[in-house]
Amino acid sequence: MGGTLLSLALTLLGLLLVTFIIGRVMPIDPVLKVVGDRASQAQYDAAYQAMGLDRPLIVQFIGYIGDVLTGDLGRSISTGQLVVDDIRHVFPATVELATLGTFIGVSIGVPLGVIAAARRGGIVDQVARVVALVGYSMPIFWLGLMGLLVFYGILGWVGGPGRQGIIYDGMVPDVTGLILVDSLLAGDWNAFQDAFSHIILPASLLGYFSLAYISRMTRSFMLEQLGSEYITTARVKGLSESAVIWRHAFRNISIPLVTVIALSFGSLLEGSVLTEIIFSWPGLGQYVTKALLAGDMSAVLGGTIVIGTCFILLNLLSDLLYRVLDPRSK
Amino acid sequence: MRHLLTPRALLLASAIALAPAAWAETPADTLVVANDISDIITLDPAQTFEFSGNDVNRNTYDRLVDFDPMDMAAGFKPSLAESWEVAEDGLSITFTMREGVTFHSGNPVRAEDAAWSLQRAVKLNKTPAFILTQFGFTPENVEEKITFDDRTLTLNLDQPYAPSFVLNCLTAMIGSVVDKETVMSNAEGDDLGNAWLNTNEAGSGAFTLAAWRPNEAVQLAAYEDYWQGASAMKRVIVRNVAESSAQRLLLEQGDIDAARNLTPTDVDSLEQTEGVKIKDEPRGRILYMGLNQKDELLSNPAVIEAMKHLVDYQGITDSFLKGMFKTHQAFLPEGYLGALEENPWTYDVEKARQILADAGIEGGTITTKIRDLREYVDVAQTLQASMAEAGLTLNIEQMTGAQVLDAYRAREVPIFLGEWGPDYSDPNTNAATFAYNPDNSDEAQATGLLAWRNAYAVPDEMNEATVAATLEQDSDKRAQMYRDIQKQYQEEAPIVPLFQRIENTGLRENVQNWNVGGSVTSVMYHQVTKGE
């Protein structure tokens, strides 16, 4: 376990180093973002020094790592606030969206994949194939805009862009940062409904993309199991088909499936940038993208640490689950 | 930051909770605006220089002099200063402060606060500080130059500037009066409260800052004790929505009252939508073409002359820039003292070809950098086509805004296409950057001057005229001086103003008195009402 942690720490360090170098060689001048187009050369130079950009790269990087170890992620130049505070605010928004998205993806994708494998070539299999194909090939921004137009613009079934209706904004005390949870904690049913009406469309969109992936993976895992000998044995013993599929085969695929789901959740955490932009969702993806375009390296590195740590933790978690679920490892 | 949970807001929330779950109209006393506010990096009025930051400060702070949103043409008028007097020698202006005005903290607004605010801005020396330091104030002398006693404040100038010039500069955000006691009680080290004011507010304006969440929303709450009367809108919420199509949907659904970043396509379609209206207002930003005089070809007077006839002004404003810009060929935007309304150049390829032939120029190639923003690239490509007809080749490299700006400030962009917005409401703001460049050497590093960036060695008499215009006491004469400078500029300068920006706001039908600040300032909410 100690070795794992060390290698994970090194991974994170490497990730930061690469991000740091990319940020520094990028042809974007962060000083101009701070002082603006109108600054005199003297004001520019003063800001350049204040930001520590006059020091050698390696000194800047070591200084940064030192700060991180003491819990200081620096101040963002594009929001003027501490990166820690910024992330504390934007990350829950992304987690909320990605969690619901993954939930939708799993709760539809897994059964769909299992049934598609059990009835190979049947109608469900064909439908699953089309669903996955569309999910892979449709541009997410187009689907997002169409979804908004139809379900918000025309039908009025869901709330529009943003996390909350404007009148509920700031009404629920901020406890976890997850609005669905916070509004329940506050016992404010209307705020919950409102937040739900806003999250359901972007979460469904993300859910759809993860469902396309999860159902394909489930199907192929399942096919592999169904072709193996113990299944034939079970069938010969006269077990019902549903018992064969769910009790025997499914239990065996649950282990690799956990990894697939964890990875899919991780990719929703980092990869929902377009969704966040279309739905004006104030999350980490949007935050890091804007920071990157502004050359705001403290914010980008802060975001990288969070995402990197999440991936590492998700990997650890799926490792642990492996051990719990796989009887052989006991 | 506690205004969110006022009893009124809670009442409002419960009233809405009882209403059916339909996506109802916005509350009658709340103004909801969708805007791209991701440019806010600070809210300190001594530092803000971005559009959205200025939008906030315009409403949370007062200044000594200000605009009447219902009569922008009148120019500056008394605000926290109820009157002022210019000394006979023109070297000082003494303001008399209005009495009975309070900051949001409850502290009275004193002459001391006003003087300290201006001193503070000079001492902090952030980017917009030049608006004040151009009157001879330095961090060292400002305490002697800006003085106060009980009810008056005196500005001691280094030259007898035109009073209109000084007063116009005081309408800029850097002229905002901040609450000295509140700010100093939050100061860290010798930062004069800069870190605290980055995210907080200490003004006396019509609204208090209820919340600012970067990239997400700004919330303002009406200041009930405002000296000009409390605003009809009790809350103003500016939601960060970057996408034009999303703004349009929100407006159609009645979830917002105003949409500020609509594309021409969305404006067109909203014009047909019931319950929605479009308001056009010319803004101060000028889209211009800078011809770098370091480039051998572009420094030829014939090429400069020909280029002015190679822009399809009408075609561009009728097609892809429709509704976003109008043709405007002088460096002062419409709405400024002395702005020139004449547009002398027409699109005429034949004429351009003739001018080039007469000068013996046969072809030529220019490679330039253009910001990868749709409208600039479109303009560049149109220019490329008409230049080709006149035998000139234009190669376009597309880059990010930051990259182009970097190169431009290093005098490395041959043909620059971009916008310039005024920094304050006086004609000197643009004259001093388009038509003033006392030292054209590389060493001068006058990166703030557009003339320098284009290596344009402004003739001595134009430099002098620009300075002289700041000292002219008679406003009519002063206006004439600017018209003369602009005429000479149109004749010979290698920097060619092309278009003036128009802002189209999509509004719900019931929103009245909406004002984004015309060409001289930022958005104002105090006078906005919502009818039936």
Side-chain angles (χ1 to χ4, degrees), chain A residues 317-330:
Chain A
L317 195 71
S318 64
D319 265 7
L320 289 175
L321 280 173
Y322 241 100
R323 288 175 210 202
V324 175
L325 292 174
D326 189 347
R328 282 167 302 184
S329 67
K330 274 181 187 151

Side-chain angles (χ1 to χ4, degrees), chain B residues 107-223:
Chain B
N107 294 337
V109 178
R110 307 160 304 170
E112 181 177 353
D113 294 291
W116 183 77
S117 303
L118 299 176
Q119 291 168 355
R120 174 180 181 272
V122 170
K123 287 181 190 165
L124 280 175
N125 195 24
K126 300 292 183 184
T127 306
F130 73 91
I131 298 172
L132 296 176
T133 56
Q134 61 187 342
F135 300 115
F137 307 131
T138 65
E140 292 74 34
N141 74 12
V142 71
E143 284 185 36
E144 290 105 66
K145 293 278 191 178
I146 300 176
T147 56
F148 64 92
D149 64 24
D150 189 30
R151 261 191 77 190
T152 64
L153 174 153
T154 304
L155 298 181
N156 295 293
L157 313 166
D158 64 343
Q159 290 196 63
Y161 294 104
S164 56
F165 176 32
V166 181
L167 291 159
N168 274 327
C169 285
L170 291 177
T171 64
M173 291 315 138
I174 196 146
S176 298
V177 175
V178 302
D179 182 347
K180 181 182 176 185
E181 277 179 25
T182 304
V183 172
M184 282 316 281
S185 66
N186 288 291
E188 293 167 25
D190 52 4
D191 81 337
L192 297 172
N194 179 237
W196 185 75
L197 275 186
N198 274 337
T199 53
N200 292 280
E201 160 271 310
S204 61
F207 291 87
T208 63
L209 178 70
W212 167 41
R213 296 191 303 277
N215 296 334
E216 200 179 334
V218 168
Q219 299 197 10
L220 304 175
Y223 178 41

Side-chain angles (χ1 to χ4, degrees), chain A residues 245-262:
Chain A
I245 289 172
W246 292 105
R247 227 180 288 151
H248 289 262
F250 187 72
R251 176 177 292 172
N252 280 332
I253 71 159
S254 63
I255 300 160
L257 209 50
V258 164
T259 312
V260 165
I261 292 168

Side-chain angles (χ1 to χ4, degrees), chain B residues 160-164 467-475 477-479 481:
Chain B
Y161 294 104
S164 56
V467 173
T470 63
L471 300 173
E472 177 52 56
Q473 307 283 315
D474 183 324
S475 273
K477 274 193 201 155
R478 196 171 173 232
M481 290 171 91

Side-chain angles (χ1 to χ4, degrees), chain B residues 245-263:
Chain B
S245 44
Q247 291 194 359
R248 177 181 141 197
L249 271 177
L250 283 162
L251 189 65
E252 284 173 347
Q253 295 297 303
D255 279 344
I256 59 171
D257 298 306
R260 293 191 60 187
N261 314 97
L262 297 168
T263 59

